[in-house]
Amino acid sequence: MKNKKIILVSLVSLSVLINATHTVHADSANFSVTPKIGENQVGQNLGYFNLLLKPKQTQNVEFTLNNNSNQTIKVKTTFGTAFTSQSGNVGYTPDLVEPDPSLKINLKDYVKLPQTLTIKPKSTTTVTARVTMPDENIKGVIAGGFNFEDASTSESTQKSSGVSITNRYRYVIGLVLQNDTVKVDPTLNLGKVGPDQVNGRNVITANLTNSAPAYLMQMNTDAVVTKYNDSSIKYTYNNVAMEMAPNSNFNLAIPVSIPGALNGKTSEPLKPGKYHLKMTVYGGKDDKGKYQTMVNDQVTKYDYKWVFDKDFVITGAKASSLNAKDATINHKPKIDWLLIVGFAAIILLLLIIIFLLFKRRKKDEEENEESVENKKD
C-alpha cells in the first residue's frame, strides 16, 4: 500500500489578474523550491511566475532548490497545463486529464526544463527552464505549473501490519503567460447532465466548461435536481469556494447517495424517470460587482452570474446498474407484505375448500350407511 503526499507550494489558484494564491508548507519535505522572479513580472510577491511577453519572445526562468536532508536526493521535474479537478479546484499535475477542446494553445508545448536533478546533502542548486511565447498574439492568459517531485524513495515499514508506506513530496509553482493585461471574462457553459458514480456512490454529474482563456475564481455554485411527477425526490449541492482554470471543464457531482459516513443509515436507490437540473453559478467576488447573493448570512457581490436549466432522463437499465454497484444502498430484498397476505389468503381459501369437501364427503358416507341399514330392515 502506498500513500503519496502531494505538497503544493506557492500555488494552488490564480485569478485573471493574478491576485490570489494559496501556500502550503511541509516541514518534513526533503527539499524546498524558490522561484526567482524577474522584472517583467505582472504583480509582485506572488510566489509564482506571471510573465508579460511578446509573441515569439523567449525567457529563462530560474528556481533555487535546496536539499534540507543529510542524503543525496533526486528531484524529478515536469510541467503540467492548468486544468480543473473533479472537486472544482485548479490543478497542474501533468497529463492527469484530457485538455478541453477549447484549449487551442497548450502551454506545456512551450516550456523546456531538465527532467531529473541530483542534489547533494545540505546543498543548493539552480534550475533553469526555457519559456517561449507562441507565435500568434493571444488574448487572456495561458497557464500551467512546474512540478518538482522527490524521486528518492523513503520507506517506513509498520511491522505490526506489514504495510510499506512511501512518502513523496511535490512542489508546484505556477506559470502564467500573457501578451497584455487586458481583462478577459470567463465563459461558463453547461454540457451533458446524467447519472454516474463517484467513489462507489450514486451522483448526478453536470459538465461545466470555462471556454475562455481566463481563470474563473471564487465560484459560488448552487444546484438542485428534481424529479418530474415526484416531489419527494430532490438532490441539492452548494459550494461557495470553487474555481476553474482557463479553457477547462469538469464534472460537477451532485450527491444522490449519502456522501460521507453512513452512521447506520442507507441510501435510497436511484429511480428511473425524467429529471430537471437548475443551477446558479456566481463568480469573481467584487465589492462593486453587479450581482449579489447571500453567503454565510452576508450579502456578497460578484462580477459574474450564470443560470442553467436542463432536463435529462435516467433509464431503468442505468438506474439498476448504478444501484447494484452502490455500496450504501441496502440490497436486501424488501418483504412484500401484500404478496404474502395474498398467498396466505389463497392458502386459507384452499384449506376451507378442502375442509368443506372433506365434510361433504363424510356426510355423504354417513347418508350411504344409513341407506344401507334401512334396506336391511
Side-chain angles (χ1 to χ4, degrees), residues 125-137:
T125 187
T126 298
V127 179
T128 301
R130 190 171 183 82
V131 178
T132 303
M133 200 69 173
D135 293 350
E136 64 271 30
N137 189 67

Side-chain angles (χ1 to χ4, degrees), residues 127-179:
V127 179
T128 301
R130 190 171 183 82
V131 178
T132 303
M133 200 69 173
D135 293 350
E136 64 271 30
N137 189 67
I138 62 172
K139 294 181 179 180
V141 302
I142 51 178
F146 295 95
N147 292 256
F148 299 88
E149 183 178 358
D150 184 357
S152 305
T153 299
S154 176
E155 294 191 354
S156 58
T157 303
Q158 301 176 7
K159 296 181 180 180
S160 59
S161 60
V163 177
S164 177
I165 300 176
T166 300
N167 294 327
R168 289 196 178 99
Y169 300 93
R170 174 184 295 159
Y171 284 78
V172 178
I173 295 180
L175 172 66
V176 176
L177 299 184
Q178 50 190 322
N179 291 144

Side-chain angles (χ1 to χ4, degrees), residues 47-269:
Y48 55 87
F49 296 101
N50 179 18
L51 304 179
L52 190 64
L53 298 174
K54 297 178 181 180
K56 299 183 181 181
Q57 184 177 348
T58 297
Q59 179 171 327
N60 290 337
V61 295
E62 294 184 346
F63 308 86
T64 299
L65 275 67
N66 183 47
N67 181 358
N68 305 315
S69 71
N70 295 318
Q71 298 179 345
T72 299
I73 63 171
K74 291 184 178 180
V75 177
K76 179 182 178 182
T77 63
T78 54
F79 187 87
T81 301
F83 65 91
T84 303
S85 70
Q86 298 309 303
S87 58
N89 293 300
V90 177
Y92 302 90
T93 305
D95 304 320
L96 190 63
V97 299
E98 290 290 331
D100 186 80
S102 69
L103 183 66
K104 304 304 180 184
I105 299 176
N106 196 327
L107 185 53
K108 74 173 185 178
D109 297 331
Y110 297 86
V111 176
K112 293 183 179 180
L113 71 166
Q115 294 183 345
T116 305
L117 303 169
T118 300
I119 312 176
K120 295 181 179 180
K122 300 295 183 179
S123 64
T124 299
T125 187
T126 298
V127 179
T128 301
R130 190 171 183 82
V131 178
T132 303
M133 200 69 173
D135 293 350
E136 64 271 30
N137 189 67
I138 62 172
K139 294 181 179 180
V141 302
I142 51 178
F146 295 95
N147 292 256
F148 299 88
E149 183 178 358
D150 184 357
S152 305
T153 299
S154 176
E155 294 191 354
S156 58
T157 303
Q158 301 176 7
K159 296 181 180 180
S160 59
S161 60
V163 177
S164 177
I165 300 176
T166 300
N167 294 327
R168 289 196 178 99
Y169 300 93
R170 174 184 295 159
Y171 284 78
V172 178
I173 295 180
L175 172 66
V176 176
L177 299 184
Q178 50 190 322
N179 291 144
D180 54 53
T181 57
V182 176
K183 182 179 179 180
V184 173
D185 294 326
T187 302
L188 193 64
N189 293 290
L190 175 65
K192 182 179 179 181
V193 179
D196 206 339
Q197 281 195 341
V198 175
N199 297 327
R201 285 165 164 78
N202 290 343
V203 298
I204 302 297
T205 59
N207 184 262
L208 290 173
T209 299
N210 173 23
S211 58
Y215 281 88
L216 173 54
M217 305 302 294
Q218 297 99 30
M219 284 176 63
N220 179 348
T221 305
D222 186 79
V224 179
V225 173
T226 53
K227 188 177 186 296
Y228 281 88
N229 303 320
D230 192 343
S231 59
S232 67
I233 296 180
K234 183 179 180 180
Y235 308 121
T236 61
Y237 177 86
N238 179 258
N239 191 332
V240 300
M242 302 177 72
E243 58 194 16
M244 290 191 69
N247 302 107
S248 67
N249 76 86
F250 78 107
N251 288 322
L252 174 71
I254 303 166
V256 171
S257 300
I258 300 172
L262 295 178
N263 295 324
K265 299 180 180 179
T266 56
S267 302
E268 290 295 321

Side-chain angles (χ1 to χ4, degrees), residues 263-288:
N263 295 324
K265 299 180 180 179
T266 56
S267 302
E268 290 295 321
L270 188 64
K271 295 183 179 180
K274 184 178 180 181
Y275 289 77
H276 179 76
L277 167 67
K278 185 175 184 63
M279 182 186 298
T280 303
V281 181
Y282 295 88
K285 283 185 181 180
D286 188 345
D287 292 338
K288 297 181 180 180

Side-chain angles (χ1 to χ4, degrees), residues 306-326:
W306 296 270
V307 178
F308 303 109
D309 285 277
K310 193 162 189 175
D311 291 335
F312 63 98
V313 175
I314 300 177
T315 65
K318 187 66 173 180
S320 297
S321 175
L322 291 175
N323 290 335
K325 294 181 288 186
D326 190 326

